[in-house]
Structures are given as structure tokens and as C-alpha cells.
Amino acid sequence: MTNEFGEFREEIRASSDLELKLLAEGEEAVIISLRDPLAQRPDTVN
Amino acid sequence: MQENRVPLAESAPDREAASESQPPENAVRIAKAGFAGVRLQGKPAKAPGLVELLFDSFLQPLAQGARSSGSEIRQMLYRADPYQVDVHIEATPGANKLVVMGQLLDLRNPDVPGRGVPVTISNLRATWCRP
């Protein structure tokens, strides 16, 4: 649940198929697929 | 009565007249530009439920000379009507965990933050949500 400033915070286990779901009253759920959010960026060189 | 038709392909004066009746190219371009920002009445700007990525820190170019960058933090900004969602994801050092933080802005009422909206973070196996 977002706080009075519209903020949310959660600590979760790292995963490759994360989804963020917003459930507003009277609205359809908004689902944002985050996948593996910290997977290596495409332009990095190791 | 005999018809005296001239084939179009052979009618050079007709072709010239047709090309003269066309507006100049620059005038067409200016007219089109005038309509570029106009939305047709009753037509929504985009399909409802569409999630649009407005910003992604991973899509920004690396600093000059950087060979590698720690992918420990990512910031994204989404537009998912009626919300604009700022998402900040950070890896917890030494643990296989992520901290997901964010803020909602209700675009229908931008002066008031999107408070009291249930947010769920899940994968296919588990769901995390703040009571």
C-alpha cells in the first residue's frame, strides 16, 4: 500500500520474472513486468 | 455522334494542368505539421492499459571511458494510466535480495500523491506485498 506520499518500498528475493501490480479501486489492475531488473545492461564489457 | 477522346497518356496539356493544380510540397508539409499535435475528437491517445517506459537508467549511455558499470541500481519511470510510476531497484550487497522502491503519481489528480494504492510485487512463485 502506498503511503501518504504515494511511496512504496519492499525488500524481495532477486528473481528473473518480477511483476509490479497496482490495484487501484474501481480501475483495472496495472501490471508492469520488471523481468530481471538488474540483469547486465547491454552495453557493458567485462 | 462521334466521340473524340484523347488517351490520358498522350495528353500532355492535361498532365501539366494536373501538376499545376497540386499544392507546393512545402505548403503540404506546413499543413501536415499543423495537424501533428491534434488528436481526433473522441479518439483516445493510446490504448487503455498500455504501459509505457519513459525512462530507464540502463538505457542511458555509460560515462565516457567506462568499461563496466556495476548493475546494482536501476531507475525506471513508467506511464501506466492513470498512474506515472517511478521505480528504483537496488541490490542488497551480500544477499540475493532486491529493494524495490517507488512512487506513484495519479495523473488524474497530479497535485495529490497516489496514496493508499495497493502495490504487489510478485514472481511466478511468490508474492510480496505490504499490508
Side-chain angles (χ1 to χ4, degrees):
Chain A
M1 188 82 79
T2 53
N3 67 12
E4 60 183 310
F5 305 111
E7 298 168 332
F8 58 91
R9 184 186 192 280
E10 196 64 51
E11 187 168 330
I12 61 169
R13 201 169 53 245
S15 173
S16 61
D17 49 8
L18 288 176
E19 281 184 351
L20 181 70
K21 188 187 279 188
L22 312 171
L23 298 161
E25 193 177 335
E27 299 281 346
E28 280 187 37
V30 173
I31 299 173
I32 298 173
S33 176
L34 301 172
R35 297 191 184 90
D36 189 356
L38 295 185
Q40 190 176 29
R41 49 190 295 165
D43 53 350
T44 53
V45 177
N46 287 323
Chain B
M1 188 172 165
Q2 188 182 0
E3 278 189 60
N4 188 13
R5 288 188 177 173
V6 178
L8 287 175
E10 295 173 11
S11 173
D14 283 352
R15 279 201 306 270
E16 286 171 16
S19 67
E20 284 172 9
S21 69
Q22 296 297 315
E25 195 177 321
N26 59 343
V28 173
R29 196 169 54 243
I30 290 168
K32 282 184 177 177
F35 285 97
V38 177
R39 209 173 356 131
L40 294 175
Q41 193 175 5
K43 186 179 177 184
K46 55 189 163 186
L50 191 69
V51 177
E52 186 181 2
L53 179 64
L54 302 177
F55 174 81
D56 185 348
S57 60
F58 272 24
L59 298 180
Q60 301 304 304
L62 288 172
Q64 191 176 13
R67 288 178 51 85
S68 178
S69 165
S71 302
E72 303 287 312
I73 298 174
R74 187 173 187 181
Q75 188 138 17
M76 292 169 283
L77 181 64
Y78 288 97
R79 176 159 183 171
D81 285 337
Y83 298 112
Q84 192 159 295
V85 192
D86 191 3
V87 183
H88 180 99
I89 300 171
E90 202 170 325
T92 305
N96 189 28
K97 289 191 169 182
L98 301 174
V99 177
V100 181
M101 295 172 274
Q103 188 172 30
L104 293 188
L105 176 68
D106 190 337
L107 296 170
R108 296 167 300 186
N109 196 1
D111 296 333
V112 180
R115 69 178 72 168
V117 177
V119 176
T120 301
I121 302 167
S122 65
N123 62 13
L124 295 175
R125 295 165 295 280
T127 299
W128 299 270
C129 53
R130 188 164 280 270

